[in-house]
């Protein structure tokens, strides 16, 4: 059956044919049947150089044989026990040893679960009600996180999804990323009742937005001053730029960290961890409830250990350098063709924004020309390059991307950008 027929079937079964909204795009999403290294092949047999890499986790490339072997070995030993296993301890230790701020942790099945539990434990530990998140920060699809700023941006959030009670959104304050004054203002008003500030250290869900100098440091200082907790959501950035968290690169210690994506090697995963005194509040030792039938899943643990074992020996300058060279090429195309666009990059993540101005936060990101991005996306697709299908996602480089991929990508980008 060809892709279009399959998609018609999918539309009968899943809302808009997909199991996660950003996977849908007009006229129909590419349907992949297999992938290896940097390349993914659709059901019609067309090959693409993949820059989505499963939205980040596949940092080693697709179908890494050693990771696959470890998963297969675990399949033969059993795939679910509902009791503690040695591999949970192994993967937990790898993460704890790599990320300085983590004394103890719990595995979950997704980044969404990780941030949901992290927020609950922050509230349980501090006994405070409010959470402060950043406009444009994404922490998964649960009610505490689907909150955007209200009309006066300096007040409580409002639901960004229907179905989220206004009562919940009134417990979430929304600040502006890279705007310390907006955070200080909220703390001046509500500081004694703010349980935690949660932020992605590098925004990765409105394209890539880097922290400005001292912004994250000021979050650390303000939260300490008010006895609030600082949560770094490193679901994307954990093990992405180095064998650690972004926090270790910049030398800031959050109280709680969430991770996902890479630590599961492509299998469903999440993790939250941090200070021992906070993590000890979790049941059964403490009175903050958190649980999951599949948490610490044996297949995920096997994939995660295999991935991090390989990653530990890798030289991250390979993927960071690839992205830096691509950024340079893109910048020269932008100026040569006279396009209103800026390229944002953080190590091995990048995004091209069709925007006249620098993109530093939610409001500048959302002023980008998404129609242009869509044109570029489809132009690249035709030429066998698969970018994540939204201006507000991020391209990821993997260790499988090579010089052939680089040249083919530069040629395709040049042809597409020239026509914009
Ligand atoms: C920063 C961040 N936090 C949380 C999540 C949610 O993770 P998951 O999709 O595994 O639930 C995501 C997903 O992209 C994310 O980028």
């Amino acid at each position: 059956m060809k892709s279009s027929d399959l998609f018609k079937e999918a539309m009968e079964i899943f809302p808009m044919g997909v199991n996660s909204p950003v996977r849908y795009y007009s006229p129909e999403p590419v349907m992949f049947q297999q992938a290896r290294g940097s390349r993914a092949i659709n059901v019609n047999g067309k090959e693409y150089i993949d820059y989505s890499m499963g939205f980040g986790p596949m940092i080693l490339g697709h179908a890494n044989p050693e990771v696959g072997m470890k998963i297969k070995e675990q399949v033969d030993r059993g795939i679910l026990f509902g009791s503690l296993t040695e591999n949970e301890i192994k993967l937990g230790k790898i993460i704890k040893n790599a990320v300085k701020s983590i004394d103890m942790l719990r595995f979950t099945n997704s980044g969404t679960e990780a941030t949901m539990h992290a927020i609950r434990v922050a509230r349980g530990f501090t006994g405070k009600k409010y959470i402060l998140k950043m406009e444009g920060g994404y922490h998964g699809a649960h009610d505490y996180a689907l909150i955007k700023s209200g009309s006066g941006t300096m007040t409580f959030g409002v639901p960004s999804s229907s179905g989220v009670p206004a009562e919940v959104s009134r417990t979430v304050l929304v600040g502006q990323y890279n705007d310390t004054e907006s955070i200080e203002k909220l703390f001046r008003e509500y500081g004694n009742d703010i349980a935690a500030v949660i932020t992605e250290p590098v925004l990765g869900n409105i394209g890539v937005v880097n922290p400005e100098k001292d912004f994250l440091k000021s979050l650390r200082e303000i939260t300490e001053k008010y006895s609030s907790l600082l949560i770094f959501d490193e679901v994307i950035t954990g093990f992405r730029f180095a064998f650690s968290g972004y926090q270790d690169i910049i030398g800031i210690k959050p109280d709680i960290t969430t991770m996902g994506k890479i630590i599961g090697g492509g299998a469903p995963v999440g993790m939250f961890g941090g200070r021992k005194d906070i993590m000890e509040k979790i049941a059964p030792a403490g009175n903050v409830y958190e649980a999951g039938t599949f948490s610490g899943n044996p297949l995920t643990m096997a994939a995660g250990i295999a991935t991090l074992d390989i990653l530990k020996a890798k030289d991250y300058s390979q993927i960071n350098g690839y992205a830096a060279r691509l950024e340079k090429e893109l910048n020269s195309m932008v100026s040569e063709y006279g396009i209103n666009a800026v390229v944002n990059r953080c190590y091995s993540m990048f995004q091209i924004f069709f925007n006249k101005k620098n993109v530093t936060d939610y409001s500048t990101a959302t002023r980008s020309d998404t129609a242009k991005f869509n044109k570029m996306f489809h132009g690249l697709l035709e030429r066998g390059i698969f970018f994540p299908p939204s201006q507000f996602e991020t391209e990821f480089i993997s260790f499988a991307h090579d010089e052939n991929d680089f040249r083919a990508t530069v040629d395709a980008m040049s042809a597409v950008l020239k026509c914009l």
Side-chain angles (χ1 to χ4, degrees):
M1 220 190 268
K2 284 281 163 24
S3 168
S4 296
D5 298 326
L6 283 168
F7 187 61
K8 276 192 201 111
E9 270 199 343
M11 286 286 280
E12 298 293 317
I13 304 170
F14 311 118
M16 290 309 275
V18 291
N19 282 298
S20 197
V22 78
R23 293 184 203 168
Y24 173 80
Y25 42 90
S26 171
E28 62 180 52
V30 178
M31 201 174 294
F32 289 118
Q33 60 164 331
Q34 59 181 15
R36 181 166 294 275
S38 60
R39 310 275 175 136
I41 298 173
N42 77 1
V43 290
N44 299 333
K46 179 171 168 144
E47 189 177 85
Y48 299 86
I49 301 171
D50 185 8
Y51 285 98
S52 175
M53 302 312 287
F55 289 102
M58 309 314 295
I59 192 167
L60 298 177
H62 293 287
N64 180 284
E66 287 162 68
V67 177
M69 185 57 69
K70 293 290 178 196
I71 296 173
K72 284 173 202 151
E73 282 171 15
Q74 188 61 52
V75 167
D76 290 339
R77 285 201 295 268
I79 60 174
L80 188 66
F81 309 115
S83 198
L84 182 65
T85 58
E86 200 176 339
N87 273 353
E88 288 164 69
I89 302 169
K90 237 186 210 171
L91 186 58
K93 258 164 77 178
I94 296 173
I95 295 167
K96 178 176 144 93
N97 290 339
V99 184
K100 282 197 191 74
S101 70
I102 297 180
D103 300 327
M104 298 184 103
L105 59 95
R106 275 262 169 100
F107 285 115
T108 63
N109 303 292
S110 66
T112 295
E113 280 181 47
T115 64
M116 181 179 73
H117 293 308
I119 287 173
R120 188 180 311 112
V121 78
R123 285 177 165 148
F125 179 80
T126 58
K128 299 179 183 185
K129 171 165 135 184
Y130 297 123
I131 296 297
L132 197 166
K133 77 179 279 285
M134 304 300 148
E135 183 82 313
Y138 178 70
H139 306 291
H142 57 77
D143 287 7
Y144 312 151
L146 291 174
I147 314 284
K148 59 182 181 179
S149 66
S151 47
T153 50
M154 300 305 161
T155 178
F156 297 111
V158 295
S160 63
S161 158
S162 130
V164 176
E167 286 81 357
V168 174
S169 68
R170 282 199 288 271
T171 67
V172 180
L173 304 159
V174 181
Q176 302 303 314
Y177 185 79
N178 277 336
D179 178 357
T180 305
E181 174 50 30
S182 79
I183 311 297
E184 281 171 346
K185 193 167 173 203
L186 288 167
F187 267 91
R188 278 197 295 274
E189 204 161 339
Y190 304 101
N192 294 331
D193 298 314
I194 297 176
V197 171
I198 183 168
T199 188
E200 297 169 75
V202 178
L203 296 188
N205 286 281
I206 51 166
V208 180
V209 178
N210 280 292
E212 281 171 5
K213 190 174 176 294
D214 290 343
F215 175 67
L216 298 172
K217 191 167 155 242
S218 71
L219 293 185
R220 180 64 287 181
E221 287 165 2
I222 299 166
T223 45
E224 263 170 11
K225 181 172 158 196
Y226 286 87
S227 302
S228 301
L229 302 184
L230 179 62
I231 306 173
F232 274 178
D233 181 356
E234 298 226 42
V235 165
I236 289 181
T237 56
F239 295 90
R240 163 59 45 195
F241 311 134
F243 197 77
S244 61
Y246 183 74
Q247 57 189 272
D248 299 287
I249 299 176
I250 57 170
I252 293 177
K253 253 181 148 181
D255 302 294
I256 303 177
T257 299
T258 55
M259 287 192 180
K261 299 201 189 249
I262 289 173
I263 61 166
V269 77
M271 182 283 318
F272 68 104
R275 270 168 45 194
K276 189 163 186 273
D277 57 333
I278 298 171
M279 294 303 287
E280 280 177 344
K281 286 281 176 215
I282 295 167
N287 55 8
V288 176
Y289 198 68
E290 184 275 332
T293 299
F294 297 106
S295 297
N297 181 270
L299 295 183
T300 300
M301 297 299 106
I305 293 165
T307 297
L308 294 189
D309 275 350
I310 297 169
L311 207 47
K312 191 164 190 183
K314 291 282 186 194
D315 177 1
Y316 276 78
S317 67
Q318 181 188 327
I319 55 174
N320 299 338
Y322 185 115
R325 286 169 60 218
L326 204 49
E327 175 190 29
K328 198 167 161 216
E329 295 278 357
L330 291 177
N331 275 327
S332 44
M333 288 175 210
V334 165
S335 58
E336 189 184 337
Y337 306 144
I339 301 165
N340 286 327
V342 291
V343 182
N344 278 13
R345 179 179 72 86
C346 188
Y347 298 88
S348 61
M349 288 162 54
F350 71 95
Q351 183 56 293
I352 174 164
F353 290 94
F354 291 93
N355 204 313
K356 281 184 203 153
K357 294 208 169 128
N358 287 338
V359 173
T360 56
D361 57 12
Y362 177 78
S363 77
T364 46
T366 49
R367 271 183 243 131
S368 303
D369 185 341
T370 53
K372 274 227 170 88
F373 181 90
N374 289 340
K375 261 193 188 160
M376 179 191 74
F377 168 74
H378 284 286
L380 290 174
L381 215 51
E382 263 171 44
R383 290 166 175 81
I385 309 283
F386 184 69
F387 268 26
S390 162
Q391 172 72 93
F392 306 116
E393 295 290 340
T394 295
E395 283 74 61
F396 294 102
I397 311 300
S398 79
F399 283 96
H401 286 90
D402 64 14
E403 211 44 42
N404 287 337
D405 296 328
F406 185 83
R407 291 289 11 132
T409 305
V410 169
D411 290 348
M413 285 297 292
S414 174
V416 170
L417 290 179
K418 209 180 277 180
C419 301
L420 283 183

